[in-house]
Amino acid sequence: MKTALSYQGKVKYRYGTRDPQHLIFDCSSFTQFVFSKNGISIPWGANAQTRVGTPVKDKAHLQKGDLVMFSVGTPGRISHVGIYLGNGKFVGNSPSRGVAIYDMNTGYWKNRYITGRHL
């Protein structure tokens, strides 16, 4: 989590992009990059990342460092991923704010959580 937070203000968001040399990522290439910096290999793609670790359906059972998946397009379809920080917050890379802390219990993210993955 410290690794992810250290990239606030330094990363650009671009859909479908994985460019660590220039710090340009989409949401899932950012989580892949952060986990790789901590010695954990995960695939690129929010949907692909749902196949690693063990599922966490209920938000109440999330642990710090878990992947959290959301639907931001087609309802029920996973299309965004971030890293859980605790207390209903996660860090992720998005087009609107880049790498930032988001609250999954209010506003835009409130009803978009699909699942989490504990690695």
Side-chain angles (χ1 to χ4, degrees):
M1 293 172 301
K2 287 180 186 175
T3 304
L5 294 171
S6 74
Y7 286 96
Q8 284 181 289
K10 299 175 184 170
V11 165
K12 291 192 184 297
Y13 179 93
R14 188 176 304 143
Y15 180 78
T17 302
R18 177 175 51 180
D19 184 353
Q21 186 176 8
H22 297 103
L23 295 178
I24 303 170
F25 302 103
D26 63 12
C27 63
S28 64
S29 61
F30 179 69
T31 55
Q32 181 188 46
F33 175 74
V34 168
F35 275 82
S36 73
K37 290 278 184 189
N38 289 281
I40 300 168
S41 177
I42 62 174
W44 184 14
N47 236 341
Q49 290 178 7
T50 65
R51 295 188 285 276
V52 297
T54 56
V56 183
K57 292 284 183 200
D58 188 341
K59 285 193 266 189
H61 296 116
L62 288 169
Q63 298 174 31
K64 292 177 182 179
D66 285 350
L67 289 170
V68 283
M69 281 81 173
F70 302 89
S71 173
V72 296
T74 305
R77 184 172 165 257
I78 292 168
S79 50
H80 188 75
V81 62
I83 302 168
Y84 190 65
L85 297 172
N87 298 317
K89 307 273 196 282
F90 73 98
V91 60
N93 189 24
S94 78
S96 60
R97 293 175 49 205
V99 174
I101 297 171
Y102 301 91
D103 188 334
M104 57 194 286
N105 294 318
T106 62
Y108 181 81
W109 299 104
K110 184 176 182 181
N111 297 312
R112 296 178 183 271
Y113 176 79
I114 303 291
T115 190
R117 302 300 291 192
H118 182 71
L119 303 181

